[in-house]
Amino acid sequence: MQAVQLHAIKQSVYCQIVTLVLRLKNVDFQLIETNVFACEEIKASHAVLHPFKKIPVLTHGDFTLYETVAITRYIDESFAGRVLQPTTAAQRAKMTQIISLMDSYAYQPMVWGIYVECSVRPARGEQPTPEVVTAAIEAASVCLNVLAELLAEQSYFCSEQLTLADCHVQPMLECLGKCLQGKALLRNHPNLQQWLLRMQQQVALAR
Ligand SMILES: N[C@@H](CCC(=O)N[C@@H](CS)C(=O)NCC(=O)O)C(=O)O
C-alpha cells in the first residue's frame, strides 16, 4: 500500500477530524508534525503543499490533498473498512449540510471565540476579550440548538449510522467542552452529551 502521511498537529480540530476518520477506517498513517502556528518559516515552507498555508494536508503516495471535507471523503472512498457515508441522496445531503454548518458557523465561535479565549489565553496569562466571548457564546448557542434538533433522538447525526458528519462535529464539541463556558452550553443539550459519550466509545474502539 502507498504511504499515507498527515501533515498536521494533534491540537488542531481539523487535524483531529481527519485522524478520527483514519482511525475509524483502520488506515495506517504517519503524522508529519507541521505546526503552522509556530513560526513564519514553517508556514512559508508549508505553502508547497497548501497554498493557504493551513493544516491538515494528506498525502497518499504522490497524491496530495487539502481541505478537510475533501480529505475525509477521499479516505472513506479509497480504503476498505466501515463505510462512513450514507447511501441515500437525502442522508448524504444531510451529512454535507452538517459538515458545512460546522465549518461556516460553529468552528470560529466554539474553538476560537470560546475555547481559545476562555482557556488557552488565560493559561498564557492573557485576559479574554469579553465582547468576543459574549458574541461567541451567542453564536455557539445557536449552533448547539440546531445540532440538538438535527440529532434529536437518533444515535448519530444521519440516523443510526456513524458518518463523516459525526466525525466533523465531534472534535469541535470536545474542544468546546474543555472549558467551563463550553461545558455550561453543552449541559443544555442532554442528547448532544449522550452522543459525545457514544462517540468516545467509538473512538476508544478504533484505537
Ligand atoms: N478549510 C480548512 C480549514 C483548516 C484550518 O482552519 N486549519 C487551521 C488549524 S485548525 C490552520 O491551519 N490554521 C492556520 C492559520 O490560519 O494560519 C479545512 O477544512 O481543512
Side-chain angles (χ1 to χ4, degrees):
M1 195 180 80
Q2 291 181 308
V4 176
Q5 295 188 322
L6 183 64
H7 300 254
I9 53 171
K10 288 189 175 145
Q11 306 89 306
S12 143
V13 293
Y14 279 106
C15 300
Q16 289 164 5
I17 294 167
V18 174
T19 304
L20 175 56
V21 173
L22 286 165
R23 293 234 164 92
L24 290 171
K25 295 288 288 188
N26 207 14
V27 176
D28 276 335
F29 68 99
Q30 184 189 7
L31 178 74
I32 311 284
E33 175 93 9
T34 310
N35 192 352
V36 289
F37 297 101
C39 65
E40 280 310 310
E41 286 76 15
I42 293 178
K43 220 176 168 114
S45 62
H46 186 58
V48 181
L49 292 176
H50 196 314
F52 303 99
K53 302 173 192 166
K54 297 208 181 239
I55 46 173
V57 172
L58 184 95
T59 61
H60 182 202
D62 55 11
F63 180 65
T64 302
L65 193 61
Y66 60 85
E67 286 305 299
T68 301
V69 65
I71 296 172
T72 56
R73 279 186 194 163
Y74 175 77
I75 295 165
D76 189 43
E77 290 166 14
S78 303
F79 296 94
R82 69 193 290 177
V83 174
L84 296 172
Q85 296 179 83
T87 48
T88 69
Q91 294 288 359
R92 286 173 89 86
K94 268 286 163 231
M95 183 188 76
T96 306
Q97 181 191 40
I98 291 160
I99 291 172
S100 182
L101 81 85
M102 293 311 288
D103 287 346
S104 304
Y105 314 117
Y107 171 67
Q108 196 63 35
M110 287 183 187
V111 176
W112 291 95
I114 300 178
Y115 170 67
V116 172
E117 283 292 321
C118 300
S119 187
V120 177
R121 291 191 64 193
R124 286 191 205 130
E126 297 168 16
Q127 289 298 316
T129 310
E131 312 82 82
V132 171
V133 177
T134 304
I137 286 177
E138 206 176 305
S141 302
V142 174
C143 292
L144 290 175
N145 288 341
V146 168
L147 288 172
E149 212 168 293
L150 285 165
L151 180 64
E153 301 307 317
Q154 302 173 151
S155 299
Y156 298 102
F157 278 96
C158 298
S159 78
E160 298 311 300
Q161 182 197 352
L162 189 161
T163 70
L164 298 179
D166 300 282
C167 298
H168 220 87
V169 177
Q170 197 254 4
M172 295 198 203
L173 292 202
E174 283 290 341
C175 184
L176 180 69
K178 280 188 199 153
C179 65
L180 290 177
Q181 293 78 350
K183 274 194 180 77
L185 292 178
L186 284 166
R187 269 200 294 275
N188 296 326
H189 300 288
N191 68 337
L192 293 178
Q193 290 184 303
Q194 283 298 319
W195 170 85
L196 273 172
L197 291 175
R198 204 170 293 127
M199 286 300 289
Q200 278 164 9
Q201 286 163 2
Q202 292 287 335
V203 175
L205 287 175
R207 283 191 199 285

